[in-house]
Amino acid sequence: MWSPRFNPTPVPLALAAMLALGTVNAAQAQALPAVKLSIAAQPLGQALNELARQAGVQLLFSPDLVAGKTAPAISATVSVREGLERLLAGSCLLASIDGNAVIIKAAPKVSGETATLSEITVSANGERSAASDGTGAYATRTVTLAGTERALRETPQSVSVVTRQQMDDKNLFTLDQVLEQSTGLTRMNRSFGSHEFLSRGNALSYLIDGMPGISDNATGWLIPDMAVYDRVEILRGSAGLIVGAGTPGGVANLVRKRPRTEAHAEATATVGSWNQRRVELDAGSPLNAAGSVRGRALLAYEDRAYFYDAAHSRMPLFYGIVEADVDAATTVRTGARRQHTVTDGYWLFGLPRYSNGATLPVRRSTSLAQDWNRHDATISELFADLEHRFRGDWKAKAAVNRTYGHFDQQAAIVRGSINSATQQGARLYTVNYRKQDIVTTGLDANVGGSFGAWGGRHEVLLGMNASRAITDDYAASTSPGLPFDVFHPNNALLARPAHPAWDSLPHLNEQHYGAYASTRWELHPQLHLLLGGRLSWFDKQTTGRLATDPVSRYKESREFTPYAGLVQDLGRRWSVYGSYTSIFQPQSLYYTLGGQPLKPVVGDTYEAGVKGELYDGRLNVALAAFRINKRDTAIYDEASNDDCLKWDVTGSCYRNGRPLRSTGIDADASGEVLPGWQLSSGYTYNIARGEAGETPPTVTPKHMLRVSTSYRLPGAWNHWTIGGGVSAQSGYLYQADDNPDVSFRNGGRTVWDARASYIVNRNWSANLSIANLTDKTYWAATGELRRGNYFGEPRNIILTLRYTPTL
């Protein structure tokens, strides 16, 4: 079995292999009067693409036309026209054949007289839109991160997309599961479940539909269920132009599902390891005869246990959205989401280690939680946006998002490093009670388009956005101080104690607002200069309702975050680029011993690379080199000795660290490699160094590889799709926060998965996925000597049955 002991030689070979895919020619379009077709019953868009591949024709259609529709199986030698007629039967769509090109359009409506509709040729091979729902693809041609839709090849930064198809294939139900499958991302487990993901050694920020205002702790306390979302767009590197704070890690943009133009419905039922049971209902249709008002609703419910003892959760979910065309140029959308998750046996802080850094010989199912531990979290969200399209390609958009987040947490916590001689040292040292109410509001308005000047076509986007988070925190604790045997854990050691009075009631008001501008100048038909910048204000006030609560104020005004990029096209398929972005990252969550927020992180990010669009854009490839220079990053202050509870719920205080630099490369390949073969893959090489050349403590491995693939079998076997993947990374050295003299290593790992799906008929399909196929034992996250160490999931199996009725 291959393990991630990376040698220098295979790395460039692997990168060359990914980029060499560009030398494989796409199927040549040939006009054939008859062709042997072997197409399984499946969604109509996928079936049409399959016909185009087998017949060698150029296919043009809009994804909205085929969304929610299915096609019957074909296994016969027929003309292209007859094959199209069979696939389109009952769909209210027609095919127009012009030489080697096939155009799919809506059938004329009959109302007294037959109305002739104009042909719709928005999408070559049905894949030119950023939307991924219903495409069956592992790639999109464009992303919507920066307020406008832009091709990946025209974006001079590293960007990857996890599509709806990839989420469905791998049964990825939550945001943290999606990010764990993404290029260059690693998870860092933090205190009290406030976990976060890192990119290039720095934390990600989060957006919904390209705007701020998402609820706090999207990968910790309030994790979104992914049934609501069409895709996740992930930018690696500084994202100050987008989010207002130039965080050097990047940003994940969660893009909601939209209403479709045709009626559709889908029901799924899932069962899996550890008694996982889940159902989803997703349906929508036009709400008036003209189709100018459209709606969509989604319901889901999940009930499951976990691979570790005591824990069990329940999660009901509702999502609804309505979209209306006010007139030919104006569209308005509004919707709501509510998700409620209750976890009994909630486990905080993970496992300790031996005092010398060695891991404990315990079962992966070991949990140190008490069975009455509980985490009750609710997300309620309202959103709306208005878009107006002017003449030409100019348009204006305004959007608002308001989220009400709440969690109520009670947890008995075990911690303490283990003495190797006595095998003791852990104690059930405290019972923590925490409650938080957070209301976040995000606003964004922008206008953009293109204009001709100086012999070229140029683009501009001007906008402003703001976000505010109002948080009321409640905290209290008791101190049982009971010895705890981590080798034979008793999950009922302590009876549930009475809830004490709150002893900490801080109130936080955090605001971000600013104006931004981005431009794309055509210096030459094949050379474009991207310039942009953002002027930001940041203000955070902390007050309290008790005399002992902390009081502080943290402000930054008129902070300018510049951005520059240059893209040179090398023909129709390839481009090279370079970009620069400054770093400005407030650290208002981290306090010094004196109770003052830390100074912000500042610095610069540089990136250069090459990108390609192959097979008419069905396959995207990229290779990038990056360098991040930053200073004043928060590090744990050993002098705090856990005496900072009034500033930080973990009792920790921090100080600004020395300058750091991170250097590395990213390689990506995603999309359709060959007919029926979908691929999403990425490799990251990252080296972090301190001011004096020392290696800083980090949870970012030097080497990371993420691969997911899916292949629909040809011929008589085309009802079957098989796939698999691998997540591999090299080991890293970690310095214990609670004893800087002790360092320990989290070894490299390779975790495989596999899947298979079967299309029963045009209405029914089944999907089986197996994660951690070889049942690899590994540490998913490492922390301190006394706490914070988590096993990765053992082998687990999920079976999903999907029903799509014919409407």
Side-chain angles (χ1 to χ4, degrees):
M1 185 70 63
W2 176 79
S3 63
R5 294 176 179 172
F6 287 78
N7 297 317
T9 304
V11 173
L13 291 177
L15 300 179
M18 278 198 280
L19 294 178
L21 293 169
T23 64
V24 182
N25 290 325
Q28 297 296 314
Q30 301 177 20
L32 297 176
V35 63
K36 184 177 181 180
L37 296 179
S38 180
I39 302 174
Q42 58 190 296
L44 179 57
Q46 299 178 37
L48 289 169
N49 283 329
E50 187 68 25
L51 181 145
R53 285 191 289 269
Q54 294 183 23
V57 297
Q58 180 72 14
L59 182 65
L60 305 171
F61 67 88
S62 167
D64 284 347
L65 285 175
V66 299
K69 297 181 179 181
T70 57
I74 300 178
S75 181
T77 299
V78 296
S79 68
V80 173
R81 179 174 295 281
E82 183 180 349
L84 288 166
E85 289 174 352
R86 291 191 187 186
L87 293 181
L88 297 175
S91 67
C92 298
L93 300 176
L94 296 176
S96 172
I97 301 178
D98 183 6
N100 198 46
V102 177
I103 299 171
I104 306 300
K105 57 185 179 180
K109 293 183 179 180
V110 178
S111 178
E113 296 182 359
T114 300
T116 302
L117 301 183
S118 59
E119 294 178 351
I120 299 175
T121 60
V122 176
S123 177
N125 290 333
E127 294 172 5
R128 290 193 186 275
S129 170
S132 73
D133 190 16
T135 66
Y138 277 23
T140 62
R141 294 197 59 170
T142 60
V143 290
T144 55
L145 275 163
T148 184
E149 193 165 301
R150 178 158 290 165
L152 288 171
R153 193 162 66 88
E154 297 173 354
T155 305
Q157 286 184 272
S158 295
V159 178
S160 58
V161 180
V162 180
T163 65
R164 183 70 257 167
Q165 188 65 44
Q166 190 175 347
M167 288 186 273
D168 289 343
D169 284 352
K170 298 178 75 70
N171 288 313
L172 305 177
F173 299 128
T174 59
L175 179 59
D176 55 340
Q177 292 174 336
V178 169
L179 298 181
E180 285 171 352
Q181 300 289 324
S182 303
T183 299
L185 302 188
T186 54
R187 174 171 170 148
M188 183 174 72
N189 284 24
R190 298 185 61 196
S191 298
F192 289 84
S194 178
H195 310 315
E196 62 184 19
F197 278 80
L198 308 181
S199 168
R200 300 177 180 176
N202 299 276
L204 282 178
S205 299
Y206 299 92
L207 306 174
I208 293 183
D209 281 345
M211 63 177 294
I214 188 170
S215 181
D216 193 25
N217 282 118
T219 54
W221 297 319
L222 300 167
I223 303 175
D225 189 282
M226 296 311 296
V228 171
Y229 301 101
D230 172 86
R231 64 192 181 278
V232 180
E233 303 169 342
I234 302 167
L235 180 145
R236 299 181 297 281
S238 295
L241 184 62
I242 301 171
V243 300
T247 56
V251 62
N253 181 33
L254 284 67
V255 184
R256 300 182 183 98
K257 290 179 176 177
R258 296 280 192 246
R260 299 176 180 173
T261 57
E262 304 291 338
H264 67 96
E266 184 175 85
T268 62
T270 300
V271 294
S273 299
W274 312 304
N275 293 319
Q276 182 176 14
R277 291 161 291 175
R278 178 184 176 94
V279 293
E280 291 181 26
L281 300 174
D282 184 358
S285 73
L287 301 179
N288 62 355
S292 59
V293 182
R294 303 166 292 278
R296 185 170 188 170
L298 186 147
L299 298 171
Y301 182 82
E302 181 174 280
D303 186 295
R304 61 164 301 174
Y306 296 82
F307 73 90
Y308 47 87
D309 299 333
H312 177 268
S313 69
R314 302 170 300 283
M315 189 283 299
L317 167 71
F318 166 78
Y319 170 72
I321 181 172
V322 175
E323 179 180 81
D325 298 323
V326 179
D327 54 41
T330 307
T331 301
V332 63
R333 302 180 187 91
T334 185
R337 171 177 68 109
R338 181 176 174 83
Q339 178 182 324
H340 183 202
T341 306
V342 178
T343 304
D344 295 313
Y346 187 64
W347 187 23
L348 290 171
F349 285 3
L351 293 163
R353 307 175 77 92
Y354 282 116
S355 55
N356 63 2
T359 59
L360 303 180
V362 296
R363 295 175 294 111
R364 285 180 289 181
S365 60
T366 299
S367 169
L368 308 186
Q370 295 296 284
D371 51 18
W372 47 262
N373 284 14
R374 185 179 175 90
H375 181 77
D376 188 330
T378 302
I379 307 173
S380 299
E381 180 180 66
L382 300 172
F383 60 91
D385 67 70
L386 174 68
E387 181 180 288
H388 181 75
R389 297 167 291 281
F390 301 97
R391 290 188 177 183
D393 60 358
W394 283 81
K395 65 180 179 180
K397 184 176 181 179
V400 60
N401 190 89
R402 190 170 178 88
T403 302
Y404 302 84
H406 166 84
F407 73 82
D408 195 342
Q409 189 181 97
Q410 57 181 24
I413 295 173
V414 174
R415 76 174 190 184
S417 61
I418 306 302
N419 184 296
S420 57
T422 65
Q423 299 292 297
Q424 297 178 357
R427 302 181 71 83
L428 199 163
Y429 82 104
T430 188
V431 177
N432 275 307
Y433 299 86
R434 183 115 189 261
K435 187 171 75 168
Q436 188 178 91
D437 295 303
I438 177 169
V439 180
T440 60
T441 305
L443 302 169
D444 184 86
N446 60 63
V447 60
S450 66
F451 63 95
W454 307 296
R457 194 72 187 173
H458 317 291
E459 300 175 14
V460 63
L461 178 74
L462 303 174
M464 56 191 346
N465 60 25
S467 65
R468 182 178 68 181
I470 305 294
T471 305
D472 285 306
D473 222 332
Y474 304 76
S477 64
T478 61
S479 301
L482 299 175
F484 195 92
D485 184 355
V486 298
F487 302 101
H488 303 90
N490 182 353
N491 302 119
L493 176 66
L494 179 69
R496 184 190 314 215
H499 196 305
W502 300 114
D503 56 25
S504 177
L505 298 172
H507 174 83
L508 297 86
N509 184 338
E510 183 173 327
Q511 301 178 53
H512 301 251
Y513 47 98
Y516 58 89
S518 65
T519 59
R520 185 173 185 266
W521 302 92
E522 187 179 81
L523 306 182
H524 181 273
Q526 293 185 328
L527 180 63
H528 294 84
L529 175 65
L530 288 83
L531 296 175
R534 179 185 169 90
L535 199 60
S536 301
W537 287 259
F538 176 83
D539 188 0
K540 180 180 179 180
Q541 299 182 64
T542 302
T543 58
R545 287 156 287 177
L546 299 177
T548 55
D549 286 334
V551 177
S552 66
R553 181 78 179 270
Y554 182 86
K555 284 187 73 172
E556 297 286 347
S557 298
R558 295 182 298 278
E559 181 65 33
F560 182 64
T561 308
Y563 169 80
L566 192 66
V567 180
Q568 171 70 57
D569 292 336
L570 305 176
R572 294 185 302 108
R573 295 181 176 180
W574 295 94
S575 62
V576 294
Y577 71 89
S579 65
Y580 163 81
T581 313
S582 68
I583 297 170
F584 171 72
Q585 181 180 4
Q587 299 190 101
S588 58
L589 295 177
Y590 301 100
Y591 289 85
T592 66
L593 274 168
Q596 295 302 312
L598 292 188
K599 294 187 298 182
V601 176
V602 293
D604 307 281
T605 298
Y606 304 89
E607 184 172 321
V610 57
K611 292 187 177 183
E613 285 184 351
L614 311 178
Y615 312 148
D616 294 325
R618 294 194 300 272
L619 178 67
N620 301 310
V621 295
L623 175 65
F626 60 85
R627 178 159 183 165
I628 300 171
N629 300 318
K630 62 177 182 176
R631 59 184 183 274
D632 292 327
T633 301
I635 61 173
Y636 177 71
D637 191 342
E638 299 89 348
S640 67
N641 195 30
D642 288 343
D643 293 330
C644 291
L645 192 59
K646 65 178 179 178
W647 310 122
D648 183 88
V649 294
T650 70
S652 303
C653 281
Y654 301 84
R655 56 186 175 86
N656 289 106
R658 300 167 68 181
L660 298 172
R661 69 176 184 272
S662 182
T663 306
I665 59 174
D666 268 334
D668 267 304
S670 61
E672 188 176 53
V673 180
L674 292 172
W677 179 13
Q678 296 289 334
L679 173 71
S680 175
S681 63
Y683 166 77
T684 301
Y685 172 82
N686 193 0
I687 292 289
R689 288 287 184 264
E691 183 180 48
E694 75 274 13
T695 301
T698 178
V699 296
T700 300
K702 183 183 295 185
H703 301 274
M704 285 184 286
L705 177 67
R706 307 282 190 263
V707 178
S708 296
T709 187
S710 172
Y711 179 62
R712 182 184 294 278
L713 299 179
W717 292 88
N718 68 357
H719 285 251
W720 286 94
T721 299
I722 58 174
V726 62
S727 176
Q729 63 188 54
S730 56
Y732 57 85
L733 194 66
Y734 194 79
Q735 185 184 60
D737 284 342
D738 48 347
N739 187 349
D741 295 329
V742 177
S743 295
F744 47 87
R745 184 174 181 80
N746 188 4
R749 63 176 183 260
T750 303
V751 182
W752 299 89
D753 63 69
R755 60 170 293 269
S757 65
Y758 181 73
I759 299 174
V760 181
N761 53 42
R762 65 188 300 171
N763 303 118
W764 290 93
S765 65
N767 179 39
L768 179 72
S769 63
I770 307 175
N772 195 356
L773 183 65
T774 62
D775 202 23
K776 173 79 172 178
T777 298
Y778 65 96
W779 293 95
T782 51
E784 303 174 358
L785 300 177
R786 59 187 174 175
R787 65 185 184 187
N789 302 280
Y790 297 81
F791 280 112
E793 282 193 347
R795 180 192 298 118
N796 59 95
I797 302 172
I798 298 177
L799 174 65
T800 297
L801 186 64
R802 180 170 281 107
Y803 173 63
T804 306
T806 303
L807 300 179

